[in-house]
């Protein structure tokens, strides 16, 4: 039995020697470059991104979201059943809500350009409102007929007037 074990050991050594002989010889230039390079630190490199990877891998991230209500869309319109749906702050785009809003009240309108209208009569129409008004915009006060239409799919209110330039407006959340 000892002869069989010695035979296996010799065979294993022979195979390892053959495998080592099949490897290509190391490149002398690569060894010289590696020897000339500064030694790298053996300390691990860490980057603090402020992200807790353990928390992000948690399997319980959806816990408590059964009754979650997503926030309203940024450009959502006021409810269609509101008595005066146009009342509030509006802007040409949501980025202008803080700096250049149009202000609609039940009795008037003020634009960021300085135009002003006083409402005389407000009439609900299919899809919006028609308003008889007196408006001032870069000149004396004039009679005007303002048409407001709500574009549900675009989340916008369309403004038409003879005194003030037509515009598409989005609702500015309070």
């Amino acid at each position: 039995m000892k002869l069989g074990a010695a035979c296996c050991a010799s065979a294993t050594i022979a195979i390892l020697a053959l495998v080592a002989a099949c490897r290509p010889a190391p490149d002398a230039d690569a060894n010289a470059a590696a020897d000339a390079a500064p030694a790298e630190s053996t300390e691990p490199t860490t980057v603090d991104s402020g992200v807790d990877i353990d928390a992000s891998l948690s399997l319980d991230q959806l816990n408590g979201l059964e009754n979650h209500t997503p926030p309203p869309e940024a450009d959502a319109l006021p409810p269609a059943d509101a008595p005066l749906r146009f009342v509030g702050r509006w802007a040409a785009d949501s980025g202008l809500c803080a700096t250049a809003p149009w202000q609609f009240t039940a009795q008037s309108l003020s634009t960021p350009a300085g135009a002003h209208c006083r409402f005389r009569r407000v009439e609900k129409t299919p899809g919006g409102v028609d308003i008889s008004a007196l408006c001032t915009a870069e000149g004396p006060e004039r009679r005007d007929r303002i048409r407001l239409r709500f574009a549900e799919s675009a989340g916008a209110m369309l403004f038409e007037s003879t005194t003030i330039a037509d515009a598409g407006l989005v609702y500015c959340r309070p």
Side-chain angles (χ1 to χ4, degrees):
M1 287 279 196
K2 289 185 181 182
L3 181 62
C7 182
C8 286
S10 296
T12 304
I13 291 172
I15 292 173
L16 290 175
L18 285 173
V19 169
C22 291
R23 290 188 183 158
D27 185 7
D29 291 338
N31 285 342
D35 290 340
E40 292 185 24
S41 171
T42 58
E43 294 183 30
T45 303
T46 59
V47 176
D48 184 14
S49 65
V51 175
D52 182 0
I53 192 159
D54 294 329
S56 69
L57 297 175
S58 167
L59 296 177
D60 203 18
Q61 289 181 356
L62 300 178
N63 186 27
L65 293 180
E66 298 84 18
N67 298 319
H68 175 71
T69 304
E73 297 176 28
D75 298 334
L77 292 170
D81 59 354
L84 295 174
R85 192 177 189 191
F86 62 88
V87 172
R89 292 179 330 117
W90 299 77
D93 68 59
S94 57
L96 296 173
C97 284
T99 58
W102 294 49
Q103 182 66 48
F104 286 85
T105 69
Q107 300 85 25
S108 68
L109 157 68
S110 296
T111 72
H116 183 78
C117 296
R118 292 182 297 129
F119 301 159
R120 297 172 64 201
R121 189 174 66 236
V122 176
E123 300 172 36
K124 284 192 171 189
T125 62
V129 177
D130 285 346
I131 302 171
S132 175
L134 296 172
C135 297
T136 305
E138 300 179 13
E141 189 172 67
R142 297 175 33 177
R143 288 182 151 187
D144 201 342
R145 181 113 179 126
I146 298 170
R147 291 174 30 101
L148 303 176
R149 297 297 180 264
F150 297 97
E152 302 295 335
S153 62
M157 179 174 72
L158 305 176
F159 173 89
E160 294 178 10
S161 164
T162 56
T163 308
I164 301 169
D166 297 348
L169 304 171
V170 295
Y171 184 64
C172 300
R173 292 273 169 208

